[in-house]
């Protein structure tokens, strides 16, 4: 009890001293520049109001008004929003993504409250090419690794799978490993998603892949190599000394360049020790994290299906870039909330929004295409999932209640 109290006092003192130090030693580039941003924003609005003629086009004015409203909100958030756990490369960068998270959640809520037809046609306002049903690509078919019937290129099935999604898988799992910071959790999520693809290929055709595409190219090569490189990076970050010096206090140009490069690395390092078997709270938290990760992955494919967006569309890429930037902050806030609930008494703002976004995306999928979601899962697959859930439930009872 005394140790816990002293630890809390120490954390409070560390945070207050860091904030006081940062407030007194912040350079010009590190400040929020609230007055400067307000002045520039006011000048832009005065120019649009007094010097620019408003076009007589209702649709164009509506789009421009929405974009302007979003930009004003982003300017407010970047200068005034509460800082999160990350400060590099600049606190304003993470405040910007927090505001983007709010905008994206509001957009999803708007789509959720539309009819299916209106919601799909609304996407035409973003890109006129959208709003048209597109067939999903089938990744199954001929699954021979060596096709003797094709004398020109017997390995054509492998080369056909070497598209842009291969480096995307590797890079995605490299970044996810930096977020989760645990080899076992990453491998469980990777393997579980392949089981989900097997289980749901009767709903989405692009889940139908060859066995070697699932387990060799995805799990072992792309995902496995991404996780391995991510763990190596985590090892380097944990060993790196975190002693910072002002740029103008460094005498050599080489040292200045190195300092600028290290600006894009963390200010300090926290090693994630999830310890799911230590107590019931941590066990349920880890299960919840794995579930939300898998649900967010499935939303990527189902949203493309229900909103009629081709896989190569830039909105799909923007969504992935969005989760790359907000996922790390959310995972840090979840870990802090789980690791020390007495100190962190509420879930972090970014984690709260990411969870809300994941649930809202799933609700859009359910509303826009309930027929696909409700397609009955084959009986033997359902048996496997029920067996897995029963084993988890039984182990939870034995570990935390019976034993």
């Amino acid at each position: 009890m005394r140790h816990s109290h002293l630890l809390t006092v120490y954390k409070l003192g560390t945070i207050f001293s860091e904030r006081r130090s940062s407030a007194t030693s912040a350079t010009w580039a590190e400040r929020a520049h609230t007055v400067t941003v307000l002045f520039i924003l006011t000048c832009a609005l005065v120019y649009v109001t007094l010097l620019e003629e408003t076009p007589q086009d209702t649709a164009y004015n509506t789009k421009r008004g929405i974009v302007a409203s979003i930009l004003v909100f982003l300017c407010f958030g970047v200068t005034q929003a509460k800082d999160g756990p990350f400060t590099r490369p600049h606190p304003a960068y993470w405040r910007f993504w927090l505001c983007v998270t709010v905008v994206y959640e509001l957009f999803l809520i708007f789509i959720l409250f539309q009819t299916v037809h209106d919601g799909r046609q609304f996407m035409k306002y973003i890109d006129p090419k959208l709003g048209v049903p597109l067939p999903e690509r089938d990744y199954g078919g001929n699954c021979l690794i060596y096709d003797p019937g094709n004398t020109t290129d017997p390995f054509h099935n492998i080369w056909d799978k070497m598209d842009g999604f291969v480096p995307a898988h590797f890079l995605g799992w490299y970044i996810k490993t930096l977020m989760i910071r645990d080899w076992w959790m990453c491998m469980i999520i990777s393997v579980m998603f392949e089981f989900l693809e097997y289980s749901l290929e009767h709903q989405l055709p692009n889940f139908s892949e060859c066995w070697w595409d699932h387990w060799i190219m995805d799990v072992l090569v792309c995902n496995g190599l991404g996780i391995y490189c991510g763990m190596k990076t985590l090892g380097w970050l944990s060993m790196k000394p975190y002693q910072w010096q002002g740029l103008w206090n460094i005498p050599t140009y080489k040292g200045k360049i190195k300092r600028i490069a290290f600006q894009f690395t963390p200010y300090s390092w926290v090693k994630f020790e999830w310890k799911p078997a230590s107590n019931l709270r941590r066990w349920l938290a880890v299960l919840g994290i794995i579930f939300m990760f898998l649900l967010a992955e499935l939303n990527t494919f189902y949203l493309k299906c229900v909103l009629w967006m081709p896989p190569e569309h830039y909105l799909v890429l923007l969504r992935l870039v969005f989760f790359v930037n907000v996922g790390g902050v959310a995972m840090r806030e979840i870990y802090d909330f789980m690791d020390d609930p007495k100190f962190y008494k509420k879930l972090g703002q970014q984690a709260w929004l990411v969870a809300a976004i994941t649930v809202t995306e799933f609700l859009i999928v359910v509303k826009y295409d309930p027929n696909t979601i409700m397609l009955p899962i084959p009986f033997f697959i359902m048996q496997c999932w029920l067996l897995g859930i029963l084993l988890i439930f039984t182990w939870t009872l034995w570990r935390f209640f019976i034993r």
Side-chain angles (χ1 to χ4, degrees):
M1 184 70 179
R2 178 178 176 81
H3 174 72
S4 176
H5 177 70
L6 292 175
L7 181 62
T8 302
V9 172
Y10 171 75
K11 287 185 176 181
L12 283 171
T14 302
I15 290 178
F16 291 153
S17 63
E18 287 179 355
R19 289 180 177 177
R20 184 169 58 251
S21 175
S22 62
T24 56
S25 62
T27 63
W28 181 88
E30 293 172 339
R31 295 169 189 159
H33 302 289
T34 54
V35 177
T36 303
V37 172
L38 178 61
F39 176 76
I40 295 174
L41 179 62
T42 304
C43 291
L45 294 177
V46 169
Y47 172 81
V48 172
T49 304
L50 301 180
L51 302 178
E52 189 176 81
E53 184 178 355
T54 304
Q56 302 300 315
D57 187 339
T58 303
Y60 173 77
N61 290 335
T62 302
K63 291 180 183 179
R64 193 172 69 157
I66 293 174
V67 172
S69 301
I70 293 173
L71 290 177
V72 171
F73 173 72
L74 292 178
C75 289
F76 168 79
V78 166
T79 56
Q80 300 291 345
K82 186 175 70 173
D83 287 334
F86 293 170
T87 59
R88 295 295 177 87
H90 194 283
Y93 178 82
W94 302 109
R95 293 196 295 264
F96 168 80
W97 283 108
L98 174 65
C99 298
V100 171
T101 309
V102 176
V103 172
Y104 181 51
E105 171 64 5
L106 295 178
F107 169 76
L108 292 175
I109 295 296
F110 175 82
I111 293 294
L112 181 64
F113 276 77
Q114 307 306 305
T115 64
V116 175
H117 177 267
D118 290 345
R120 286 169 174 166
Q121 295 306 309
F122 177 80
M123 302 300 292
K124 285 181 174 292
Y125 289 99
I126 301 176
D127 187 348
K129 297 179 182 179
L130 296 177
V132 179
L134 296 172
E136 286 281 352
R137 176 184 172 186
D138 187 0
Y139 285 80
N142 187 356
C143 288
L144 293 175
I145 297 179
Y146 180 86
D147 187 2
N150 191 322
T151 56
T152 305
D153 186 6
F155 294 99
H156 67 95
N157 287 327
I158 297 179
W159 308 132
D160 290 342
K161 302 297 186 294
M162 296 295 180
D163 51 17
F165 292 99
V166 172
H169 273 222
F170 165 79
L171 183 61
W173 272 103
Y174 174 78
I175 296 174
K176 290 172 191 173
T177 306
L178 298 183
M179 294 179 189
I180 301 174
R181 308 183 191 182
D182 185 85
W183 185 86
W184 278 106
M185 283 183 64
C186 290
M187 288 303 300
I188 289 173
I189 294 174
S190 174
V191 173
M192 285 290 292
F193 186 74
E194 299 304 321
F195 281 118
L196 283 174
E197 286 191 323
Y198 271 121
S199 305
L200 300 173
E201 63 182 19
H202 65 288
Q203 296 183 0
L204 293 184
N206 62 328
F207 280 163
S208 179
E209 298 177 348
C210 300
W211 65 268
W212 49 267
D213 199 357
H214 278 294
W215 303 111
I216 297 178
M217 290 191 63
D218 284 353
V219 174
L220 293 181
V221 178
C222 298
N223 302 358
L225 188 60
I227 294 172
Y228 173 80
C229 294
M231 294 303 299
K232 287 296 183 180
T233 304
L234 291 173
W236 175 77
L237 290 172
S238 63
M239 298 291 292
K240 174 181 173 295
Y242 293 91
Q243 296 177 354
W244 300 105
Q245 188 178 4
L247 182 63
W248 305 114
N249 296 327
I250 301 175
T252 63
Y253 286 107
K254 182 179 179 181
K256 292 180 185 295
I257 294 174
K258 186 178 180 180
R259 175 63 180 82
I260 293 174
F262 281 164
Q263 182 69 20
F264 295 88
T265 62
Y267 181 81
S268 60
W269 188 249
V270 175
K271 182 180 179 181
F272 287 2
E273 296 180 351
W274 295 102
K275 299 178 182 178
S278 60
N279 57 63
L280 182 61
R281 175 189 173 88
R282 300 180 78 98
W283 170 246
L284 295 178
V286 169
L287 289 182
I289 292 169
I290 293 174
F291 175 79
M292 295 301 288
F293 252 94
L294 294 174
L295 183 60
E297 294 276 4
L298 288 177
N299 287 343
T300 304
F301 296 91
Y302 280 94
L303 280 176
K304 292 186 298 183
C305 175
V306 302
L307 294 179
W308 296 348
M309 290 188 294
E312 64 276 4
H313 196 271
Y314 71 89
L315 287 180
V316 178
L317 178 61
L318 285 179
R319 179 183 175 274
L320 297 178
V321 172
F322 164 77
F323 273 104
V324 163
N325 284 276
V326 304
V329 182
M331 288 301 299
R332 172 62 185 274
E333 291 176 344
I334 292 172
Y335 180 80
D336 288 340
F337 180 68
M338 180 200 70
D339 190 55
D340 192 355
K342 293 182 180 179
F343 184 75
Y344 298 95
K345 297 184 181 298
K346 63 180 181 178
L347 186 64
Q349 51 194 3
Q350 192 69 273
W352 191 95
L353 284 168
V354 169
I357 284 173
T358 305
V359 174
T360 308
E361 287 182 340
F362 179 70
L363 293 177
I364 290 174
V365 173
V366 173
K367 177 179 179 178
Y368 276 54
D369 197 356
N371 295 329
T372 298
I373 295 296
M374 296 303 173
L375 285 176
I377 299 177
F379 182 67
F380 71 96
I381 294 179
M382 181 63 73
Q383 285 180 314
C384 294
W385 281 105
L386 290 176
L387 177 61
I389 294 172
L390 179 62
L391 289 176
I392 293 175
F393 182 73
T394 303
W395 187 88
T396 303
L397 288 178
W398 174 81
R399 177 67 179 83
F400 300 108
F401 296 97
I402 299 176
R403 179 182 150 183

